[in-house]
Amino acid sequence: MIETSITIGGFTIYEPTTVLTDLIITILCFLFLYKLKNNLPSVNKWKLFFLFFGLSTLVGAFSHALFKEHSGAGYKSFWLSMQVLNLLAVFSAQLATYHSVLFENKHNKIWLYSYYIQLVLFTVAVFIFHNFLVVVLDNAIGLIPVLILHLKNRKLAEGYKGIANGILISFLTGIVHGTKLTFHAYFNFNDIAHVLIMISLYYIYSGVKKLTL
C-alpha cells in the first residue's frame, strides 16, 4: 500500500482519507446512538453496539493518523484497544439478538453463555496473537448467526430485515480487503471498506429504529 500523508502546521497525519472515513463512521455511530430513544432491552444493546463501534473506529483513526510505522508500543496500545472495542460491539449485537429474536427460544441460555465465552476467549486471543484476523474471525462467528436469525425471523418484526441487510453489507468489506480493491492512493481498500461500513450501519440503525415504533 502506497504511503499517504498530509502535513498541517508542521504536524503530519498519515493515511488522511482512512482517518477521515474513520471519523465519519464514529460521528454516524454517535448520531445513531443519540437518535435511538427507546429503552427496550434489545434497543439498549444495539445502542451499546453503536457506542463500542464508534469508539473502536475513533481509536482506530488515531492508530492510522499518528504512526507511520505500524509497530511499537505506542501504535499497539491504540491498535489492540480498537480490537477489544470491536469485540464488545459484536458482543452487544449478540446480546441485542438474545433480547429480541432469541427471547422465547428454548435454547436462549445456551446462546447467551456462548456469547460470554466467545468474548472472553477472543479478548485473550487479541493480546496473545496481535493479529487482526482475530477480530475478523470474531466478527464472522458472532455476526453470521445474528444475520441468519434476523433473516429467518424477518416476518416477526419489520426491523429485522434492515438489521440483516446491514450485517450482510458489512461482510462485503471482506471481499474489498481480500482483493485489495483500490481506486487511488488516497482512496484505497481501507477507505472503500469504510464507505461500505457507513452504509451497513445506516441499514442496521434503520432496522433498530423500526423496532422502537
Side-chain angles (χ1 to χ4, degrees):
M1 187 169 63
I2 300 173
E3 178 190 313
T4 58
S5 64
I6 59 172
T7 301
I8 302 173
F11 182 78
T12 300
I13 300 173
Y14 299 101
E15 301 181 64
T17 311
T18 303
V19 172
L20 176 61
T21 50
D22 263 333
L23 293 176
I24 293 172
I25 290 171
T26 298
I27 292 170
L28 284 175
C29 283
F30 291 164
L31 176 63
F32 296 155
L33 172 62
Y34 172 76
K35 294 183 72 172
L36 290 170
K37 304 292 187 182
N38 194 290
N39 284 321
L40 285 170
S42 60
V43 175
N44 280 335
K45 299 308 179 184
W46 281 116
K47 287 161 72 174
L48 285 177
F49 165 81
F50 287 118
L51 174 63
F52 287 126
F53 201 96
L55 291 174
S56 175
T57 53
L58 179 61
V59 173
F62 283 105
S63 70
H64 286 290
L66 300 179
F67 302 94
K68 180 179 180 180
E69 300 293 333
H70 289 180
S71 60
Y75 170 76
K76 287 196 173 182
S77 66
F78 284 99
W79 188 58
L80 295 177
S81 298
M82 177 267 293
Q83 293 187 46
V84 172
L85 288 165
N86 191 282
L87 300 186
L88 288 170
V90 172
F91 177 65
S92 299
Q94 291 173 315
L95 291 183
T97 305
Y98 167 78
H99 284 289
S100 56
V101 183
L102 292 173
F103 188 71
E104 295 183 352
N105 187 294
K106 64 180 180 180
H107 301 300
N108 60 2
K109 292 301 181 184
I110 296 175
W111 282 100
L112 183 62
Y113 296 147
S114 72
Y115 297 156
Y116 280 98
I117 292 170
Q118 180 182 337
L119 177 64
V120 171
L121 291 179
F122 277 87
T123 300
V124 172
V126 162
F127 294 101
I128 292 176
F129 296 107
H130 289 205
N131 192 318
F132 193 71
L133 285 176
V134 172
V135 173
V136 173
L137 186 59
D138 179 74
N139 275 259
I141 293 174
L143 295 181
I144 288 176
V146 172
L147 164 64
I148 293 171
L149 287 166
H150 280 85
L151 202 57
K152 183 179 178 181
N153 294 279
R154 63 188 181 277
K155 293 183 179 179
L156 298 180
E158 190 177 356
Y160 288 175
K161 185 177 179 181
I163 293 170
N165 287 338
I167 295 171
L168 187 60
I169 291 169
S170 73
F171 289 143
L172 295 177
T173 61
I175 298 174
V176 172
H177 278 284
T179 59
K180 305 296 182 186
L181 178 64
T182 297
F183 294 143
H184 189 273
Y186 280 88
F187 197 70
N188 59 36
F189 57 89
N190 281 327
D191 312 321
I192 297 170
H194 285 173
V195 172
L196 289 172
I197 289 172
M198 294 174 203
I199 299 170
S200 163
L201 291 170
Y202 174 76
Y203 270 92
I204 293 173
Y205 162 74
S206 65
V208 176
K209 185 69 175 178
K210 290 177 180 177
L211 299 181
T212 68
L213 301 178

